[in-house]
Amino acid sequence: MFFLIAELYNRFDFLLDSGILKEDEKEYYRKVSFDMEANIATDALKALSGFLARYYGKKVIILLDEYDTPMQEACVYGYWEDLVLYTRSLFNATFKTNPYIERAIMTGITRISKESMFSDLNNLKVVSVTSDVYGDSFGFTEEEVFAALEEHSMADRKEEVKMWYDGFAFGKWEDIYNPWSIINYLDTGGIARPYWVNTSSNSLAGKLVQEGSPELKMTMEGLLQGGTFHAFLDEQIVFGELEKGEEAVWSLLLASGYIKAISAALNMEHMEMEYELKLTNMEVRFMFLQMIRKWFGRCRGMHDRFVKALLSDDLEGMNAYMNEVSGEMFSSFDTGKKPSAKAQPERFYHGFVLGLLAQIQDRYIITSNKESGLGRYDIMIEPKKPGEVAFIIEFKVVHAKRKETLEDGVKAALQQIEEKRYETVLLNRGIAPEQIRKYGFAFEGSQVLIGRGKHVSTGLSG
C-alpha cells in the first residue's frame, strides 16, 4: 500500500515546482516514499487532496479500486489486526475528515463489516451484489455477449459460453458475464478455458476451503458435482471471524463470485435471509478442481493406494500409505501464523481423510458427524451395492506432553465406536454385522497409526 501511495505522489511531483506549496509542505511531500513511516502514509492522501485542490481550484474525486485485496492477503498471512488499525486511520483521514474531497468511490468484491474497517465512516452508500443499482454495469449482459459472438461468427457457441461464463447476478439483473473472460474467449478464437480465475487472487478462498470443517468440505464436494445447498448469510463480512463460522465463508464466496444465489427468502423461523447456493459456472468449478488437484497432486498415487488398502482390509498397507501421504501433505496445509493442524488438529485430520475418500463416492455413501447409536461418528462409509462391506472411522489426536501414545489414541477411538454403538444405523439398514469394519486413526503431528476393531457379532457391540 505504501508503494502505491508513493507512486501516486510521484505522478504529481510537478506540484513541488508549482509555487503553491509552502516549504514545510514540500518537506512533507518529500517524506512520502516507499519506506515512509506509517503516520506519514496515514495522512498522505488527505494532504495530496489539499495540494491538488489548491492547484486546480476544485475539490478532488478519489477512486479506490479493490480496497479489500490487501485485507484478504492479511487474513491469509496472519497480519489482519495490524492492517485493520492502519487502514481504519487511513480511511478516516482520507474520506471522513478530508475537506478537499468532492466525492469518492470505493470498489471491492467483499463488503467488510463496519465495526472493523469502516467504523469511523458514517456517510457510506453501499451497493452490494444484491442491490439493483448499477446491476447491469458490473459485467456484460447476455444480450451483449450473444451480439459479440454473432459479430465474431460464433453464434453457434452461445451454449458453450453460457455454460462456462454465465451465472453472475446483481440484484434483479441475472445472466451477467465477466468481461475479462468474454474478451479473452473472443480474442483466442473461441477457446473455452478459465480466464478470470487465473487472474484473481484465490488464496483466501482456497485457504478457507482447505482448512474448513469436514461438513464444509463435503458441501463443496456436492457443489463440484453440480448440487446446491441452503445457508443463512450476512452480506457484511468480518474477516477476523472467517475461521469461526461457515456462514461467513459462504458469504465471502458469494460476494467474490465463486458461488451464486439461485433464490433468497426470509426464513420466518430464524428471521434471517436463507439462500439456495451453487457454483457460479464451469469456470469457477474448473478453478476449484485445479486447486484441489494441486493440494493432492504430489501424492495422488499414494492416496490411491491408501484407498485400495482400506477397501481390501490391508491394515499394514493403510498404515504405510497414510504415513507417506501425511508426511508429504501436512506441511502444505499450514499457512500464515495459525496452521490449521495446530489450531484444530482433529478437524484438520478429519477433513484430510474425507478428501482422500472423495474418489469412491460413486460406490459408497460417505457421511460425517451424523448421529448413530449413542453419539456422532466421525466418518461412515456405506456401500451403495448390497452385500458389500461398510466402514466406521473414528479419529483421535494424541499429545506427547500428556504422555499419550499413538497406541493409546487407537485404543480410545475403537473403544468409543463400541461404547457409542455407532454401527446401529448400519445394522438397521440390513448390513450384516460381519460386513462392518471399524478403524481407529490416531495422529500426532504427521505420524499416523491405524488400528482395526472387532467385527460386530450381535445387534450391539462385539
Side-chain angles (χ1 to χ4, degrees):
M1 193 175 292
F2 288 9
F3 179 86
L4 295 175
I5 294 175
E7 274 197 330
L8 190 62
Y9 263 67
N10 289 339
R11 286 179 55 193
F12 297 107
D13 59 8
F14 61 83
L15 293 171
L16 291 169
D17 301 319
S18 66
I20 68 163
L21 300 184
K22 300 175 183 178
E23 286 304 316
D24 60 333
E25 291 174 331
K26 290 181 180 179
E27 183 179 350
Y28 174 87
Y29 202 107
R30 294 188 178 98
K31 288 181 180 179
V32 177
S33 61
F34 304 140
D35 56 352
M36 68 184 121
E37 298 293 330
N39 65 309
I40 298 293
T42 296
D43 293 319
L45 295 180
K46 178 180 178 179
L48 184 58
S49 299
F51 302 154
L52 292 171
R54 252 188 280 162
Y55 182 84
Y56 289 105
K58 60 178 69 175
K59 292 185 177 182
V60 304
I61 296 174
I62 298 180
L63 307 177
L64 178 57
D65 190 25
E66 296 187 2
Y67 73 86
D68 54 343
T69 298
M71 320 305 174
Q72 295 190 43
E73 295 301 306
C75 187
V76 171
Y77 295 108
Y79 54 93
W80 167 253
E81 294 298 333
D82 295 335
L83 187 64
V84 166
L85 292 174
Y86 166 71
T87 307
R88 184 184 296 145
S89 299
L90 174 68
F91 284 1
N92 179 279
T94 304
F95 299 112
K96 183 175 182 179
T97 64
N98 188 350
Y100 313 106
I101 187 173
E102 176 69 22
R103 66 172 63 95
I105 297 177
M106 305 169 66
T107 67
I109 60 173
T110 50
R111 179 179 172 184
I112 300 174
S113 174
K114 285 190 66 173
E115 57 266 25
S116 58
M117 206 58 58
F118 302 125
S119 58
D120 288 341
L121 302 182
N122 53 16
N123 58 345
L124 294 176
K125 180 178 180 181
V126 178
V127 179
S128 71
V129 294
T130 58
S131 304
D132 293 334
V133 183
Y134 310 127
D136 61 342
S137 302
F138 292 119
F140 291 158
T141 64
E142 188 162 89
E143 182 180 359
E144 291 169 333
V145 171
F146 286 179
L149 290 173
E150 290 175 2
E151 185 177 340
H152 286 75
S153 301
M154 298 182 190
D156 59 330
R157 308 282 187 88
K158 292 179 181 179
E159 288 305 313
E160 177 184 60
V161 170
K162 187 174 180 65
M163 178 182 67
W164 268 86
Y165 307 115
D166 182 25
F168 297 97
F170 301 95
K172 67 181 180 182
W173 299 93
E174 298 179 348
D175 297 318
I176 302 297
Y177 293 69
N178 184 295
W180 178 256
S181 300
I182 298 302
I183 290 172
N184 277 276
Y185 180 86
L186 296 173
D187 190 52
T188 58
I191 299 177
R193 62 175 60 155
Y195 296 106
W196 166 60
V197 295
N198 284 336
T199 64
S200 60
S201 175
N202 302 317
S203 54
L204 181 56
K207 175 181 184 290
L208 295 172
V209 174
Q210 190 178 39
E211 298 181 3
S213 69
E215 291 77 17
L216 186 146
K217 288 182 171 66
M218 294 190 75
T219 300
M220 179 57 68
E221 177 68 22
L223 291 174
L224 289 170
Q225 294 178 0
T228 66
F229 78 105
H230 290 259
F232 297 103
L233 303 182
D234 184 353
E235 287 185 47
Q236 296 193 80
I237 297 168
V238 183
F239 272 70
E241 297 180 1
L242 281 172
E243 296 181 351
K244 299 179 182 179
E246 292 182 11
E247 292 81 6
V249 175
W250 299 121
S251 296
L252 176 69
L253 295 180
L254 175 64
S256 306
Y258 297 114
I259 58 178
K260 63 181 178 181
I262 300 175
S263 64
L266 178 63
N267 185 302
M268 298 302 295
E269 180 181 351
H270 294 271
M271 294 305 295
E272 291 183 87
M273 290 298 295
E274 183 176 5
Y275 296 78
E276 184 180 7
L277 304 166
K278 70 178 300 183
L279 290 184
T280 303
N281 51 36
M282 179 70 76
E283 187 175 32
V284 172
R285 179 176 182 271
F286 195 94
M287 181 273 289
F288 276 115
L289 286 173
Q290 280 187 319
M291 191 179 293
I292 292 169
R293 286 174 185 141
K294 182 178 179 181
W295 297 339
F296 290 96
R298 290 178 299 167
C299 55
R300 188 173 301 145
M302 286 187 285
H303 78 246
D304 286 346
R305 296 198 300 275
F306 165 76
V307 171
K308 290 178 181 177
L310 171 69
L311 297 180
S312 60
D313 198 24
D314 177 5
L315 191 62
E316 182 179 351
M318 288 169 62
N319 274 284
Y321 298 138
M322 190 66 189
N323 277 281
E324 260 190 289
V325 172
S326 64
E328 284 285 330
M329 287 298 301
F330 283 3
S331 61
S332 70
F333 278 74
D334 293 338
T335 57
K337 295 181 180 180
K338 296 181 179 180
S340 56
K342 296 178 181 178
Q344 291 182 296
E346 192 161 333
R347 189 180 80 171
F348 173 75
Y349 294 122
H350 191 157
F352 176 73
V353 174
L354 275 176
L356 296 180
L357 298 174
Q359 62 178 291
I360 62 172
Q361 290 192 100
D362 58 331
R363 296 171 51 195
Y364 294 88
I365 300 171
I366 301 173
T367 52
S368 173
N369 286 331
K370 300 292 185 181
E371 291 185 358
S372 180
L374 303 177
R376 289 177 175 270
Y377 54 80
D378 280 336
I379 294 178
M380 182 175 289
I381 307 171
E382 181 181 349
K384 294 181 179 180
K385 185 178 179 181
E388 293 192 353
V389 174
F391 306 83
I392 300 172
I393 296 175
E394 190 67 24
F395 302 102
K396 292 295 178 184
V397 175
V398 301
H399 304 275
K401 291 182 179 179
R402 302 176 190 169
K403 298 183 179 180
E404 298 172 341
T405 66
L406 289 171
E407 289 77 9
D408 294 333
V410 169
K411 183 179 179 180
L414 293 173
Q415 184 175 344
Q416 182 170 324
I417 294 174
E418 298 297 331
E419 291 179 350
K420 298 295 185 180
R421 303 179 181 177
Y422 289 151
E423 71 277 3
T424 300
V425 67
L426 295 174
L427 295 172
N428 290 341
R429 290 173 181 165
I431 297 178
E434 62 274 11
Q435 291 297 98
I436 300 174
R437 295 180 192 159
K438 307 169 187 177
Y439 294 102
F441 283 57
F443 296 89
E444 182 187 3
S446 61
Q447 292 184 310
V448 187
L449 181 65
I450 305 171
R452 183 194 300 111
K454 298 177 181 179
H455 293 308
V456 180
S457 57
T458 69
L460 301 176
S461 57

